[in-house]
Amino acid sequence: MQQEAEPQGIAVVQGLSKTSLGFMINQLHLFKSMKRADKQKLIKMMTVMRYGQGYDVCSQGTKGGDALYVIYTGSFSIWLDGEQVATLGTNDFFGEMSMVFNENRSASVACREPNSVVLVFERKELEENFKHARTMEVDAEGIEQETTSTSRSSLWSWIENIAKMRKSANLVRTLTDYEGAND
């Protein structure tokens, strides 16, 4: 993978107020239609990371799948088999395929700009909070209790569907490459 500049590293952004974190969540299309209570859950579980230009966030083929990365500012190159195949920017995300399917990384991701900010959501916390739809119900004694249904929450279902579509696209690309090599 070619790098545009010497890697500048990585840092956790600390000291942001809940208001600032809420503003960040509200600016991203992925979360716009979520209920306020679900956005509050996201704020509690997210880590804000700042990446330097040239920093390799993840490498194709490595064990991973532990997080979803949502780009707040900056841009990132997606590399597949040593070839740059895409550039992602604000509102884009990566990491969902290996997170959902618990597989090795399907591509490498490198930061293209200095001070790029990414919201990182760990798989364990996303699963605990969003894999199954949760609702508040009142029991026979009038006490409100949270219940979990077997249906998927809209956020988790959406992430799963995107991962499935991207995985299918990679399979089609692989088959096309294979057929082209055998012509």
Side-chain angles (χ1 to χ4, degrees), residues 16 19 121 138 165 176 183:
L16 295 173
T19 303
F121 300 92
V138 178
M165 286 189 304
T176 304
D183 286 343

Side-chain angles (χ1 to χ4, degrees), residues 44-46 121-130:
K44 289 177 184 174
M45 71 174 72
M46 75 181 186
F121 300 92
E122 298 294 325
R123 176 192 11 214
K124 182 179 179 194
E125 291 179 334
L126 279 174
E127 283 180 334
E128 288 172 0
N129 287 282
F130 293 103

Side-chain angles (χ1 to χ4, degrees), residues 77-144:
S77 298
I78 307 302
W79 296 79
L80 192 57
D81 300 325
E83 176 185 341
Q84 183 177 345
V85 296
T87 300
L88 302 179
T90 301
N91 281 308
D92 289 327
F93 55 92
F94 57 92
E96 79 288 346
M97 286 176 53
S98 57
M99 183 182 77
V100 168
F101 299 117
N102 199 25
E103 297 176 344
N104 289 345
R105 299 280 184 196
S106 60
S108 296
V109 179
C111 184
R112 294 175 46 91
E113 300 176 27
N115 298 313
S116 293
V117 176
V118 175
L119 310 182
V120 181
F121 300 92
E122 298 294 325
R123 176 192 11 214
K124 182 179 179 194
E125 291 179 334
L126 279 174
E127 283 180 334
E128 288 172 0
N129 287 282
F130 293 103
K131 190 166 186 177
H132 299 287
R134 288 179 166 78
T135 56
M136 296 302 283
E137 293 182 1
V138 178
D139 68 11
E141 287 100 36
I143 299 171
E144 196 173 58

Side-chain angles (χ1 to χ4, degrees), residues 63 66 72 74 90 103 130 140 148 158 176:
K63 189 147 179 71
D66 56 350
Y72 184 68
T90 301
E103 297 176 344
F130 293 103
T148 303
W158 193 82
T176 304

Side-chain angles (χ1 to χ4, degrees), residues 19-181:
T19 303
S20 296
L21 296 172
F23 179 79
M24 293 172 92
I25 290 287
N26 285 324
Q27 295 302 304
L28 296 168
H29 299 302
L30 179 60
F31 308 122
K32 280 227 189 246
S33 64
M34 291 182 76
K35 295 177 183 175
R36 182 181 173 104
D38 287 338
K39 289 180 183 178
Q40 293 301 317
K41 288 181 190 176
L42 285 173
I43 289 169
K44 289 177 184 174
M45 71 174 72
M46 75 181 186
T47 302
V48 181
M49 302 296 294
R50 185 179 316 273
Y51 292 97
Q53 184 176 10
Y55 187 86
D56 291 328
V57 180
C58 57
S59 298
Q60 182 178 0
T62 59
K63 189 147 179 71
D66 56 350
L68 172 69
Y69 300 81
V70 183
I71 302 168
Y72 184 68
T73 62
S75 65
F76 293 77
S77 298
I78 307 302
W79 296 79
L80 192 57
D81 300 325
E83 176 185 341
Q84 183 177 345
V85 296
T87 300
L88 302 179
T90 301
N91 281 308
D92 289 327
F93 55 92
F94 57 92
E96 79 288 346
M97 286 176 53
S98 57
M99 183 182 77
V100 168
F101 299 117
N102 199 25
E103 297 176 344
N104 289 345
R105 299 280 184 196
S106 60
S108 296
V109 179
C111 184
R112 294 175 46 91
E113 300 176 27
N115 298 313
S116 293
V117 176
V118 175
L119 310 182
V120 181
F121 300 92
E122 298 294 325
R123 176 192 11 214
K124 182 179 179 194
E125 291 179 334
L126 279 174
E127 283 180 334
E128 288 172 0
N129 287 282
F130 293 103
K131 190 166 186 177
H132 299 287
R134 288 179 166 78
T135 56
M136 296 302 283
E137 293 182 1
V138 178
D139 68 11
E141 287 100 36
I143 299 171
E144 196 173 58
Q145 293 184 355
E146 184 177 62
T147 60
T148 303
S149 74
T150 56
S151 66
R152 304 276 194 216
S153 74
S154 58
L155 175 64
W156 189 264
S157 293
W158 193 82
I159 292 169
E160 278 184 324
N161 288 335
I162 294 295
K164 288 174 186 175
M165 286 189 304
R166 288 188 179 172
K167 188 171 187 170
S168 294
N170 282 346
L171 178 60
V172 168
R173 181 176 187 266
T174 302
L175 289 174
T176 304
D177 290 348
Y178 174 76
E179 288 170 356

